[in-house]
Amino acid sequence: MSNQNKDDKVHKYCIRLLFEDKNVLSKHSSEDVSTARNEFELLLEKTAHQTTTSLPPKSSEEIRTNRPEKLARDASIRRRTGIKKRLSMTVRKSRPEPSKPERSEPSPESKENQKLKHENEMLRLQVDELTTRLSKFASDKLTDGNPNFADLSDKNRPTKIGEKFGMVYDEEWSDAYEEIQSLLKLSDTEVYEVLLNIVIAGDRFCREVSQSQLSSIEKGMKEPMLRPQWFSDGKEYSVAELEASPNFTASLKKFAKDFRRGTAVASVVPLCTIFKDGKFKELRDWDVYKMESLNLYIDACIECLWLMNVQDPPMYITCLNKGDNYEPAHFNMFLVKGKEVEYTVWPAVFLHEGGPLVSKGYVKPKEQLQ
């Protein structure tokens, strides 16, 4: 018999001896029982050692690899056995709905009060609307044609135009003066006269255009409003033009002026071309397009003069004639000092005719004899 079989036999004997048949203990001496216990304990230690050494420890990689298989087996067992996780549910008693108050019919007095409140509210809204319209009307009357009320956000307001006009004298005027004198060999007085006449003629030209343009704008705004048209299937349906009321005419003029002033810059380039091709020919028979500095001077003058003339009321320029007394409040002296004017070099600009000064002009006084 091998040692393994012998150990198993002893093992079984000890188990039966110690646990199954307690009567056997009484038939053996204490020495035999003690020997059996010792052999049993040795056998247990040997068996535990063999079991531990026969199964090597698992690595973490094996544990991670076998875990999905274990989870799959557990899930399969749950499906076969019908085990499912059950959610807890809470049952509460519902609250009774509050009873709705019975709707009572309004009394005749209540209906009358509601009607009066509604009429009062409508009257209040009408008063607010009329107050707003009256305030706007008063504001329009105050600012319409009143140059003392200027829109500070407007880049082309009168004060800015006056500053720009003064810069033309400082820059473009000087360049044009040198170009004319060098190319045409004119005297200083003749050059001053040519440059000033361009300003005077340009102001008259812009004033005439502004008046005709305003009439065209008013006509274009008036006809569609008083004579509306409808076209259908190639036919035109309209009525005779109605007569404009005074209120309509006043509003039309105001809106036409505002529109012209707000879009005045769009007319600058065409007006410069028209002036050089037409009006300037009445002054000098020169090919202005071959004279770069003079060309730029005319463009700068027409731009400023046009913006002056679309203001409401138009801005105003003035010159002193030969022999007039010098006005230090409106003009600066040019080259020499004196009390009597010989000629004007650059005009003074006013907010409107008879209005306050915007920018000073320049005059050349007569030289006083010592």
Side-chain angles (χ1 to χ4, degrees):
M1 182 181 296
S2 63
N3 293 332
Q4 182 67 31
N5 293 334
K6 183 179 179 180
D7 292 340
D8 293 341
K9 186 176 181 180
V10 174
H11 185 198
K12 292 178 181 180
Y13 173 76
C14 291
I15 291 174
R16 183 176 62 82
L17 180 65
L18 295 175
F19 299 101
E20 295 180 0
D21 193 358
K22 295 183 179 180
N23 295 326
V24 178
L25 296 176
S26 61
K27 296 179 180 180
H28 292 79
S29 62
S30 59
E31 183 178 356
D32 294 334
V33 174
S34 177
T35 301
R37 286 182 182 276
N38 293 334
E39 290 179 355
F40 176 70
E41 291 175 358
L42 291 173
L43 181 61
L44 287 178
E45 291 178 1
K46 183 178 179 181
T47 305
H49 178 70
Q50 290 177 353
T51 304
T52 304
T53 55
S54 62
L55 296 176
K58 292 184 179 181
S59 63
S60 59
E61 184 65 28
E62 290 176 339
I63 294 174
R64 287 194 298 270
T65 305
N66 295 332
R67 180 172 177 80
E69 297 178 358
K70 182 178 182 303
L71 295 176
R73 288 196 301 272
D74 294 343
S76 177
I77 293 172
R78 286 195 297 270
R79 285 196 298 271
R80 289 198 304 270
T81 57
I83 299 175
K84 295 182 180 179
K85 187 177 180 180
R86 187 171 182 176
L87 300 177
S88 60
M89 182 176 64
T90 303
V91 180
R92 297 179 181 176
K93 293 183 179 180
S94 60
R95 296 181 180 179
E97 295 184 0
S99 58
K100 297 181 180 180
E102 296 182 359
R103 187 174 180 180
S104 58
E105 292 293 332
S107 62
E109 295 181 357
S110 177
K111 289 183 178 180
E112 186 66 22
N113 289 337
Q114 292 179 359
K115 182 180 179 181
L116 292 175
K117 286 182 179 180
H118 178 70
E119 292 178 354
N120 186 32
E121 182 67 18
M122 295 302 296
L123 290 174
R124 187 185 65 80
L125 293 176
Q126 291 179 7
V127 170
D128 291 343
E129 181 183 359
L130 291 174
T131 303
T132 303
R133 292 173 60 184
L134 180 61
S135 177
K136 186 177 184 305
F137 178 77
S139 177
D140 292 342
K141 282 291 184 181
L142 185 64
T143 58
D144 187 19
N146 190 346
N148 295 319
F149 289 86
D151 184 5
L152 298 180
S153 63
D154 185 7
K155 296 180 180 180
N156 293 321
R157 60 184 183 271
T159 53
K160 292 294 183 181
I161 298 172
E163 293 175 3
K164 187 182 295 185
F165 191 64
M167 292 176 62
V168 173
Y169 174 74
D170 294 335
E171 298 177 6
E172 284 83 0
W173 185 92
S174 301
D175 296 339
Y177 166 80
E178 294 177 358
E179 184 180 56
I180 294 173
Q181 196 175 47
S182 63
L183 292 178
L184 303 176
K185 307 301 181 183
L186 299 179
S187 64
D188 291 344
T189 304
E190 290 177 323
V191 176
Y192 299 153
E193 183 181 0
V194 169
L195 296 178
L196 179 63
N197 287 338
I198 290 175
V199 175
I200 296 174
D203 179 63
R204 188 181 302 112
F205 167 77
C206 291
R207 190 176 299 272
E208 293 172 355
V209 173
S210 67
Q211 293 173 355
S212 62
Q213 187 186 66
L214 183 62
S215 299
S216 299
I217 294 174
E218 291 178 359
K219 182 179 179 181
M221 297 174 67
K222 177 182 178 181
E223 185 175 354
M225 300 304 298
L226 298 181
R227 189 174 176 268
Q229 298 173 331
W230 180 59
F231 298 91
S232 178
D233 297 332
K235 296 181 180 180
E236 176 186 345
Y237 297 85
S238 63
V239 297
E241 184 173 327
L242 300 176
E243 184 178 355
S245 64
N247 187 26
F248 178 89
T249 303
S251 299
L252 179 66
K253 289 184 176 296
K254 180 183 183 305
F255 289 130
K257 291 177 182 178
D258 292 343
F259 174 77
R260 182 187 60 174
R261 184 171 60 250
T263 59
V265 178
S267 301
V268 170
V269 174
L271 289 176
C272 291
T273 303
I274 295 172
F275 180 84
K276 287 181 285 189
D277 292 343
K279 190 67 175 178
F280 182 75
K281 299 297 183 181
E282 299 177 3
L283 303 177
R284 297 283 174 168
D285 189 15
W286 297 344
D287 189 354
V288 69
Y289 294 102
K290 293 182 179 180
M291 305 174 69
E292 182 180 0
S293 296
L294 181 60
N295 189 21
L296 294 176
Y297 171 75
I298 293 175
D299 290 345
C301 288
I302 296 300
E303 179 182 1
C304 292
L305 294 169
W306 172 248
L307 295 177
M308 289 180 187
N309 280 279
V310 298
Q311 302 300 312
D312 186 28
M315 298 175 70
Y316 183 74
I317 64 172
T318 185
C319 302
L320 295 181
N321 298 320
K322 185 176 181 179
D324 291 342
N325 293 327
Y326 170 65
E327 299 178 7
H330 300 153
F331 292 89
N332 293 320
M333 293 184 181
F334 181 75
L335 297 179
V336 297
K337 295 182 179 181
K339 295 182 179 180
E340 187 177 346
V341 175
E342 184 174 355
Y343 54 81
T344 298
V345 178
W346 191 252
V349 181
F350 295 86
L351 188 60
H352 54 86
E353 187 174 3
L357 178 72
V358 176
S359 64
K360 283 187 174 184
Y362 287 87
V363 293
K364 182 181 180 301
K366 286 184 178 180
E367 295 185 20
Q368 296 180 352
L369 299 177
Q370 298 294 335

